[in-house]
């Protein structure tokens, strides 16, 4: 199967490992990713705070390229990019005036035809292929699935492919791989996102609550889809735990890492060694690698 | 003992409310102060009156000054929890986003300068190259920040920040999470052109 792919800035820089894993894992499942040409930044959460017009036209240009690519579907693994692109598509469906302005200027026209998918939607649609090919059981892995904000909550009326407050997509995938995902209360709570840089005190307080619930439930790792959640919970874990008196540490895996491991890929191949909190020790202890 | 009377100019109060509603696309008159937004708000829970219901009330009462000076405008993390739980579908994060812009247009100092510098630098960087280059973006953000702190003529917070960020940067390098590479998109010209054509300005 051939689908379009929008990596976004993060997956081409600090979360390049997520880009690599997504390509590896989906290729193994028979899905070929076609990165859309000359894509631009989606504006992330910043555009809406600076200029509403930019918040629509930045993702709109990518939508035009994607529509013109002829693929029926485009996967966007980064939750912020996914959310912003999906919202711009919805906005332009209702605002024909703006759509015409955009199409008069941009070389690739927005038609609204392409289906925007999160990484979970693509993995869930190929669950049979995944269970068929999985050759390593993730027995002993007790993750709390952390979805964050952007995957299910939108300030627009959008059909959300999972439950808004209690999504279960990641749990479904992990259960088929024989992991034992743990029910918890913070799966859609906010990690603070950019607040880790611009309002550290608040972000650390939010992340420590997420961490405390995960530990209280007996989890041995986090699993995430959002590169911002991953970087925050991973890179700042030592800092926010020290500040809030938490002794234990938990590795923060991308869903693509869990799927990759189940498909027989190794630590080096998936670049799991680029995490701040060591995940290798746990995976070896559980005999997964 | 004196009794107090609420003084307000209905026209001015109405105009402010109308502007916020038009720009945010949210019908604030639908709010009946049930505070479901407040109970789910991760930014407002620790501080008094820094919750969406209070902010909405400020706006409905026509209190422009209080609304623009509500700390939630700058503490809101746009997690959209309030909006998904509001029985009247009011998305308060769209309101804080709108008030950030109105505050800037009124030449008010942002209550959380770091938050403003972050988003402003992010968008400038993404429009400059078409894609965000994290090293340049974070560097410029830190410079904006340092200049702002310098105005207060204190050095300690700057040194602390530099040490803090240098340590963090080093750990990012160690884990190969910091990319020295440069990325750009030619599409930036198309975006800038359309932006200019619509006579849009944010600075």
């Amino acid at each position: 199967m051939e689908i379009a792919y929008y990596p976004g800035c993060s997956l081409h820089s600090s979360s390049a490992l997520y880009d690599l894993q997504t390509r590896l894992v989906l290729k193994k499942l028979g899905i070929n990713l076609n990165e859309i040409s000359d894509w631009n930044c989606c504006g992330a959460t910043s555009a809406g705070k600076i200029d509403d017009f930019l918040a629509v036209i930045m993702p709109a240009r990518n939508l035009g390229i994607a529509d013109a690519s002829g693929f029926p579907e485009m996967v966007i693994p980064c939750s912020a990019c996914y959310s912003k692109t999906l919202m711009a598509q919805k906005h332009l469906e209702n605002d024909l005036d703006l759509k015409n302005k955009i199409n008069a200027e941009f070389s690739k026209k927005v038609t609204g035809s392409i289906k925007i998918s999160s990484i979970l939607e693509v993995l869930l649609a190929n669950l049979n292929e995944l269970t068929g090919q999985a050759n390593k059981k993730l027995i002993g892995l007790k993750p709390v699935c952390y979805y964050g904000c952007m995957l299910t909550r939108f300030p627009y009326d959008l059909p959300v492919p999972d439950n808004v407050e209690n999504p279960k997509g990641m749990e479904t995938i992990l259960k088929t791989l024989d992991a034992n995902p743990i029910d918890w209360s913070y799966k859609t709570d906010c990690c603070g996102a950019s607040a880790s840089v611009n309002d550290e005190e608040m972000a650390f307080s939010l992340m420590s609550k997420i961490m405390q619930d995960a530990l209280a439930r007996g989890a041995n790792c986090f699993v995430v889809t959002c590169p911002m959640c991953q970087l925050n919970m991973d890179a700042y874990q030592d800092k926010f735990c020290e500040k809030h008196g938490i002794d234990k540490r938990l590795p923060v895996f991308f869903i693509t890492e869990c799927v990759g491991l189940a498909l027989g890929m190794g630590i080096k191949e998936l670049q799991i060694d680029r995490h701040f909190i060591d995940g290798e020790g746990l995976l070896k202890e559980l005999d997964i690698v | 003992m004196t009794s107090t009377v609420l003084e307000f100019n209905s026209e001015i109060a109405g105009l402010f409310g109308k502007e916020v509603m038009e720009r945010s696309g949210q019908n604030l008159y639908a709010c009946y102060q049930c505070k479901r937004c407040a109970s789910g708000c991760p930014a407002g829970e620790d501080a008094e009156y820094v919750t969406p219901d209070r902010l909405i009330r400020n706006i409905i009462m026509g209190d422009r000054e209080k609304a623009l000076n509500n700390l939630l405008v700058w503490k809101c993390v746009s997690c959209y929890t309030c909006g998904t739980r509001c029985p009247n579908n009011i998305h308060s994060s769209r309101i804080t986003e709108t008030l950030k812009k109105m505050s800037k247009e009124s030449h008010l100092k942002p209550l959380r300068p770091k938050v403003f510098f972050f988003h402003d630098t992010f968008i400038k960087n993404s429009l400059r190259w078409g894609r965000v280059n994290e090293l340049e973006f974070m560097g410029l953000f830190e410079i904006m920040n340092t200049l702002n702190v310098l105005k207060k003529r204190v050095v300690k917070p700057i040194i602390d920040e530099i040490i803090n960020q240098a340590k963090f940067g080093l750990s990012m390098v160690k884990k190969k999470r910091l990319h020295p590479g440069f990325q750009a998109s030619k599409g930036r010209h198309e975006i800038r052109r359309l932006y200019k054509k619509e006579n849009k300005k944010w600075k």
Side-chain angles (χ1 to χ4, degrees), chain B residues 104-115:
Chain B
K104 170 87 178 128
E105 287 154 14
S106 307
H107 305 288
L108 293 171
K109 271 195 176 160
L111 294 177
R112 286 276 192 274
K114 276 181 106 171
V115 175

Side-chain angles (χ1 to χ4, degrees), chain B residues 120-132:
Chain B
D120 192 59
T121 323
F122 184 96
I123 290 303
K124 279 186 185 137
N125 193 265
S126 68
L127 284 189
R128 182 174 303 127
W129 302 116
R131 293 181 191 172
V132 171

Side-chain angles (χ1 to χ4, degrees), chain A residues 14 51-52 165 209 274, chain B residues 45 85 101 176-177 195:
Chain A
S14 55
D51 189 307
D52 287 320
E165 296 265 17
K209 283 175 197 163
R274 289 171 78 178
Chain B
E45 64 177 9
R85 291 184 184 169
K101 284 167 276 197
K176 291 188 223 127
R177 296 292 286 262
Y195 196 69

Side-chain angles (χ1 to χ4, degrees), chain B residues 130-142:
Chain B
R131 293 181 191 172
V132 171
N133 287 286
E134 286 168 350
L135 263 177
E136 184 191 358
F137 155 54
M138 287 307 289
L140 287 172
F141 163 69
E142 289 299 342

Side-chain angles (χ1 to χ4, degrees), chain A residues 253-275:
Chain A
F253 296 117
F254 280 116
I255 184 73
T256 40
E257 293 173 349
C258 297
V259 172
L261 289 166
L263 289 170
M265 297 170 192
I267 300 262
K268 286 266 179 294
E269 194 180 357
L270 291 163
Q271 300 192 355
I272 297 176
D273 50 356
R274 289 171 78 178
H275 286 202

